[in-house]
Coordinates of all heavy atoms in Angstrom, one line a residue:
N901 N 11.7 -30.1 -0.5 CA 11.6 -30.3 0.9 C 12.5 -29.3 1.7 O 12.3 -29.0 2.9 CB 11.9 -31.7 1.3 CG 10.8 -32.6 0.7 OD1 9.7 -32.3 0.5 ND2 11.3 -33.9 0.3
G974 N 37.7 -11.2 24.0 CA 37.6 -10.0 24.9 C 36.2 -9.9 25.5 O 35.9 -9.1 26.4
V1018 N 49.3 -11.3 0.6 CA 50.5 -10.7 0.2 C 51.7 -11.4 0.9 O 52.8 -11.6 0.3 CB 50.5 -9.2 0.8 CG1 51.9 -8.5 0.6 CG2 49.5 -8.4 0.0
D1025 N 50.8 -6.3 -8.2 CA 51.5 -5.7 -9.3 C 50.6 -4.7 -10.0 O 51.2 -3.8 -10.7 CB 52.0 -6.8 -10.2 CG 52.9 -7.8 -9.6 OD1 54.1 -7.4 -9.4 OD2 52.5 -8.9 -9.3
N1050 N 20.3 6.6 -14.8 CA 20.1 6.8 -13.3 C 18.7 6.4 -12.9 O 18.4 6.1 -11.8 CB 20.4 8.2 -12.9 CG 20.4 8.4 -11.4 OD1 21.0 7.7 -10.7 ND2 19.7 9.5 -11.0
D1116 N 55.7 0.3 -20.2 CA 55.3 0.8 -21.5 C 54.5 -0.1 -22.4 O 53.6 0.3 -23.2 CB 56.4 1.5 -22.3 CG 57.0 2.7 -21.6 OD1 56.3 3.3 -20.9 OD2 58.2 2.9 -21.9
L1123 N 47.9 10.9 -25.1 CA 46.8 10.8 -26.1 C 47.4 10.1 -27.3 O 48.5 10.4 -27.8 CB 46.4 12.3 -26.5 CG 45.7 13.0 -25.5 CD1 45.6 14.5 -25.9 CD2 44.3 12.5 -25.3
A1127 N 45.0 9.8 -36.2 CA 45.0 9.3 -37.6 C 45.2 7.8 -37.6 O 44.7 7.2 -38.6 CB 46.2 10.0 -38.3
C1152 N 37.0 22.9 -9.8 CA 36.8 21.4 -10.0 C 36.7 20.8 -8.7 O 37.3 21.1 -7.7 CB 38.0 20.9 -10.7 SG 37.8 19.2 -11.3
E1163 N 46.8 15.1 -7.7 CA 48.1 15.7 -8.2 C 48.1 15.8 -9.7 O 49.1 15.5 -10.4 CB 49.2 14.7 -7.8 CG 49.3 14.6 -6.3 CD 50.5 13.7 -5.8 OE1 51.1 13.1 -6.7 OE2 50.8 13.6 -4.6
V1194 N 37.9 19.3 -23.7 CA 37.1 18.6 -22.7 C 36.5 19.6 -21.8 O 37.1 20.4 -21.2 CB 38.0 17.6 -21.9 CG1 37.2 17.0 -20.8 CG2 38.7 16.6 -22.8
H1218 N 35.8 3.9 -18.2 CA 37.0 4.3 -17.4 C 37.6 3.1 -16.7 O 37.1 2.5 -15.8 CB 36.6 5.3 -16.4 CG 37.6 5.8 -15.5 ND1 38.5 6.8 -15.8 CD2 38.1 5.3 -14.3 CE1 39.4 7.0 -14.8 NE2 39.2 6.1 -13.9
T1245 N 28.9 8.9 13.2 CA 28.6 8.5 14.6 C 27.7 9.5 15.2 O 28.0 10.7 15.3 CB 29.9 8.3 15.4 OG1 30.8 7.4 14.8 CG2 29.6 7.9 16.8

Side-chain angles (χ1 to χ4, degrees):
N901 295 331
V1018 173
D1025 299 287
N1050 190 46
D1116 291 336
L1123 293 167
C1152 189
E1163 299 181 357
V1194 178
H1218 176 87
T1245 301

